[in-house]
Amino acid sequence: MEVVVDEEKIIMSNKKFRIVPLGGLGEVGKNMILYEYGDNILVVDTGIMFPENDMLGIDYILPDFNYLLEKRHLVRGIIITHGHEDHTGAIRHVMEEIQAPIYATSLTRGLLEVKLARGGMLNRTVLNTVKAGDQVQIGPFEVEFFHVCHSIPDGVGLGITTPAGLVVHSGDYKFDHTPVDGWPTDYAKLGEFSGRGVLALLADSTNADKPGWTPSERVIDPAFDQVFSKAEGRIIIASFASLISRMQQVVNAAQRHNRKVAFAGISMVENAKMAQKLGYLKIPEGLQVNIDTALKMNPAQVVLMSTGTQGEPSSILGRLSTGTNRQFDIIPGDTVVLSSHPIPGNEESIYRTINRMFRRGANVIYEPIAPVHVSGHASQEEMKLLIHLVKPKYFIPIHGELRHLKQHATIAQELGIAEENIAVIENGQVVEFENGNLSLGDRVPGGYVFVDGSRVGEVGPSVVREREALARDGIVVISLVLEKSSGRLIEEPEIITRGFIYKRDAKNLLADARNQITDTINRGNGNIQNDIEQSIRAFFYNETKRRPMVFVTINRL
Amino acid sequence: MEVVVDEEKIIMSNKKFRIVPLGGLGEVGKNMILYEYGDNILVVDTGIMFPENDMLGIDYILPDFNYLLEKRHLVRGIIITHGHEDHTGAIRHVMEEIQAPIYATSLTRGLLEVKLARGGMLNRTVLNTVKAGDQVQIGPFEVEFFHVCHSIPDGVGLGITTPAGLVVHSGDYKFDHTPVDGWPTDYAKLGEFSGRGVLALLADSTNADKPGWTPSERVIDPAFDQVFSKAEGRIIIASFASLISRMQQVVNAAQRHNRKVAFAGISMVENAKMAQKLGYLKIPEGLQVNIDTALKMNPAQVVLMSTGTQGEPSSILGRLSTGTNRQFDIIPGDTVVLSSHPIPGNEESIYRTINRMFRRGANVIYEPIAPVHVSGHASQEEMKLLIHLVKPKYFIPIHGELRHLKQHATIAQELGIAEENIAVIENGQVVEFENGNLSLGDRVPGGYVFVDGSRVGEVGPSVVREREALARDGIVVISLVLEKSSGRLIEEPEIITRGFIYKRDAKNLLADARNQITDTINRGNGNIQNDIEQSIRAFFYNETKRRPMVFVTINRL
């Protein structure tokens, strides 16, 4: 029953073949992974990460690809496996620096074009459309694209044949036997790879701690049917704008229950239009209405689809929950469905949004109340199937936090892959193959590049740490004017506080602080600014057990 | 099959009976709930809330009990249902203001005594020990304490008989048929209540969105057995310090697998000692060792128990994950078990802690990898059982966010309780009973009182909002010295930034800002301070798309 590898079939080469996942402590190789053979680099995916709760004020995060920039002339091509932000979001930043053709399937290409156009990069970029089953030579890499099911249509995994051997890259995948588009993952191709001998499998670890098999997208249909048949008013279904198959399921349910469908919000409308044009979303004639028409119709005859499942205050759902949406409001009797799963860290704001919608009279349906969402990633039994289908010599779990990779490695070991043939690596750790043998190479420098506002990379971890300190206990700004000759105070010290203390409670405290400052100045020896900062910090801590940031500005006249 | 109420048995009274849940938008009546009959108040629970992610720098939150303070002379007694922080944590703050006897079971009393002693309030407080089955007259309230299972031993629910009728208050509960202490919830008493006729049931809604029946604590034993038999090195089990029954399960597993047990951390050690003294934790002679001894023993022969399951950086587990624990470190081969469930909002820091421990060579076991934790709250089928046992005329879901209360209400309706006999209320909403009929009364003012450092209530929502603004884009402090007569600048403007921009990148930006300031002053009309703040805000936003807080201090000489 164990995975038995026919080592003879694995192609050998004495040129080094290297795999380099880039990014910080996030999910390994999720945003960008490099395949290097000799003087040739193939880039797979160019995604972004979303900031964690304590990365204050950060919009999004790029993988640090300075390593790649040093070798930019070696890049032979860029493959994007599917159209989600964590695989596409950095395309504009990458294409500003690197000249190489992009390869993507039709829907993925459509989504990339929107991003490139926004960044003014579309005309400067060579885009190649591929389809699952295609085989493309990119430098020394012979890439076979194979279809995988995921929560967006037209996703692919990659069989990458180099003189050093065949590597299989799963991409984000699940084994759905009844996907909405009727197109299952290409089991046969995976089996064919194993017949040829696979040097290494790199596989999606996202759900490595989930036992069993991820439910099929099909289970959502009966859940929608229940919601639609109970709902007496309007139905509002929220999901990700890229979840094209969920759009199709909403359209199908609307048709079964005699409701019209309207999409709300720019990204939802744009994606629906593009997916329709490319044939990934099929809407029967007359079923779709625009949002203005929908809002004038009998509530029992419409379903709206919008974004905002992650509790984002500026999304349509966020604005509906606070009564600040421009075009329409929650009306009592609305049924709101969150067809989504919380991204870890968002739970609190999602639940707050749900509570607010209940308070406005909506009935809100969400997991676990009804199975209105399924994951797009394989669970443990699917991971086992993939390993058995591919029979790799080496196994490299990717796309997950360290805890997921470790769990995925345990699963591979249970199937008989030897511990020494499994490489659990983090971003920046190079894996090298020589003569068909794996070893760990250098660690390339890397990490995060924060994007905040319009500028890239100007906000680093040190700025984020300052924001944390500001947020914890607020600030105190002290402005002093001293006589240059004597060092005496010319004016009463001015003290401004923010985020520290109620002003009306603070009168005595600030008066005491002013006395403390005057005393320190009068004692005055050496570095007055430093002395005041230290004594005022100690004073406020003693009085309030808080540690605001203290700034002292001194003007000497 | 439906709930049929024998209305004749419900005692009638023409004095008003009022129920008042206090607190902000948190879980309803979880931290404090008042029962008022005529000029008499019974307080049930005095708990705290923990801050949400965006309540920056807040340690904990008290329910606003100003309403109660106005009627402090009417308080006849304070009942604490069990020993968890969200029901006990405010006891010191309440007892500083109110003179009334406390009623609690033995273990709960022990935990309250620790808190009261720390606040210097123990000698000033009258504490009465009650046990499940007791009946105590507190003013006009005849209170019957009945045993409930929960994730801490010695929890009780309340049957409160007033001249207006009998009200059943579930407290935090589950129906565990095989609890660790062998003491199931008192089904018979609940049935007896229904025989007498119950005016209203107030019941725990925490898990109202969880289908089925919460697993028994007993399912943890085989999960622990698996972990213990696989672990070759040290085992470290993390849980809440108040989870006495989990301590017992760890002790039992250690005995079965020939390991010694040591408790790490003050709260864990103190609670274990107290629970042992009071008979709630049974440790066989010689099985427990102190932490110093444990650290010197063969790793295969010890299990340590500590706190830190919520990813708190300052907890033992948090410090172990970053290599900053004083007494001991993670050693490769350690097995770390998180016997706990993430409190919503903590997921990110918990997973970060887990990843860090993996990075240090530990194997980490957590939900969903193995069933090493169960909830202490009833799920949907248990909620149905409670309603059927008690057969209340009115149903008031408590202890949950609005989404849980709504779900609990739906469940009650499914059992036949009429919609108009169900009151879904939020904190501050008074419920009144007159002649056996429920109506909604006033809304009493309330909300949160933030506790930050040593002072109570000085940090309000406005201060927290300022901290948010500081955290988002940082600050810019501009200090100017102007000539009083002419309004001209005497010194070059000084600009300090924090959390806004890398200083080394900022040179040109700040030089431009200085010019902008000088221009504004030279144009100088009216309110210079205001003009500079506005023009500098606009300037920075144009240049960086960020909006730092801008402070201008002006000294005129």
Side-chain angles (χ1 to χ4, degrees), chain B residues 255-289:
Chain B
Q255 192 180 19
R256 290 196 297 277
H257 295 269
N258 296 313
R259 288 181 182 246
K260 302 286 184 191
V261 174
F263 297 103
I266 295 174
S267 56
M268 208 66 159
V269 170
E270 274 186 1
N271 285 357
K273 193 190 279 179
M274 202 243 318
Q276 253 188 298
K277 200 182 81 184
L278 297 176
Y280 293 94
L281 175 62
K282 293 177 185 68
I283 307 183
E285 191 71 27
L287 195 79
Q288 187 179 356
V289 294

Side-chain angles (χ1 to χ4, degrees), chain A residues 13 54 69 83 91 101 147 182 219 222 308 312 336 349 355 374 399 461 510:
Chain A
S13 160
D54 52 3
L69 292 186
I91 190 69
H147 182 70
V219 308
E312 315 93 313
V336 179
S349 44
N355 287 331
V374 295
H399 297 188
L510 295 186

Side-chain angles (χ1 to χ4, degrees), chain A residues 295-463:
Chain A
L295 294 175
K296 287 182 206 125
M297 289 175 62
N298 174 351
Q301 293 178 347
V302 288
V303 49
L304 310 181
M305 200 168 175
S306 81
T307 56
T309 60
Q310 298 302 311
E312 315 93 313
S314 60
S315 66
I316 292 188
L317 222 57
R319 295 196 309 258
L320 284 174
S321 78
T322 51
T324 55
N325 193 42
R326 196 179 47 79
Q327 221 171 2
F328 63 102
D329 285 312
I330 291 281
I331 45 179
D334 279 352
T335 299
V336 179
V337 180
L338 273 77
S339 185
S340 61
H341 189 72
I343 295 174
N346 293 344
E347 291 82 355
E348 221 171 69
S349 44
I350 295 170
Y351 295 141
R352 195 183 301 157
T353 305
I354 293 174
N355 287 331
R356 284 175 176 160
M357 290 191 293
F358 268 121
R359 202 165 287 127
R360 288 177 183 277
N363 181 29
V364 190
I365 313 279
Y366 59 100
E367 259 193 322
I369 286 175
V372 287
H373 180 70
V374 295
S375 170
H377 299 273
S379 297
Q380 291 178 350
E381 294 306 307
E382 289 157 278
M383 293 176 170
K384 293 175 189 171
L385 176 58
L386 181 65
I387 292 170
H388 271 303
L389 280 169
V390 173
K391 291 185 184 163
K393 179 175 178 187
Y394 291 104
F395 179 66
I396 304 175
I398 56 169
H399 297 188
E401 300 170 24
L402 188 53
R403 63 195 177 101
H404 300 121
L405 308 184
K406 288 277 186 181
Q407 201 59 32
H408 206 177
T410 302
I411 289 166
Q413 267 183 270
E414 282 169 10
L415 300 188
I417 297 189
E419 195 178 348
E420 59 270 24
N421 283 14
I422 301 172
V424 174
I425 55 168
E426 294 197 76
N427 284 324
Q429 174 62 60
V430 178
V431 173
E432 296 186 336
F433 293 92
E434 211 163 5
N435 300 316
N437 293 314
L438 178 149
S439 61
L440 294 187
D442 313 338
R443 218 168 156 144
V444 310
Y448 302 118
V449 179
F450 294 118
V451 182
D452 170 18
S454 67
R455 293 191 178 193
V456 177
E458 283 181 356
V459 174
S462 67
V463 173

